[in-house]
Amino acid sequence: MSEPTKPMVAPITLEKHFLVGGKRVTCHVTFPAQIALDIGLENMYACAQRVLVRLESKEGKIKELKLGE
């Protein structure tokens, strides 16, 4: 028998990396644990995987970096 899943108590932090004007910029998006309690853990993970992050810069070009770049 497996034990029941414990409620989410820690936030989920997502990182997205960008190259802005030749410099690496890391954006952190944090989802509070309360959201998992409100909508369910599976739905929270689905939202975290599909989050959109938009950067704007008047100074330089922006390129989203993929994992490992």
Side-chain angles (χ1 to χ4, degrees):
M1 259 198 188
S2 63
E3 295 182 28
T5 305
K6 295 181 181 179
M8 183 84 171
V9 294
I12 291 178
T13 301
L14 170 79
E15 287 186 354
K16 291 242 180 190
H17 306 283
F18 296 88
L19 202 60
V20 181
K23 295 184 180 181
R24 185 181 171 110
V25 175
T26 301
C27 294
H28 294 259
V29 180
T30 302
F31 295 87
Q34 181 62 43
I35 294 174
L37 298 173
D38 293 343
I39 66 172
L41 187 57
E42 287 183 21
N43 291 331
M44 182 167 153
Y45 279 126
C47 291
Q49 291 172 349
R50 290 169 178 84
V51 71
L52 301 175
V53 176
R54 188 177 119 202
L55 292 181
E56 294 180 0
S57 174
K58 294 179 182 178
E59 304 299 318
K61 290 176 62 176
I62 297 174
K63 176 188 175 195
E64 183 174 357
L65 299 176
K66 302 299 177 198
L67 191 61
E69 286 188 79

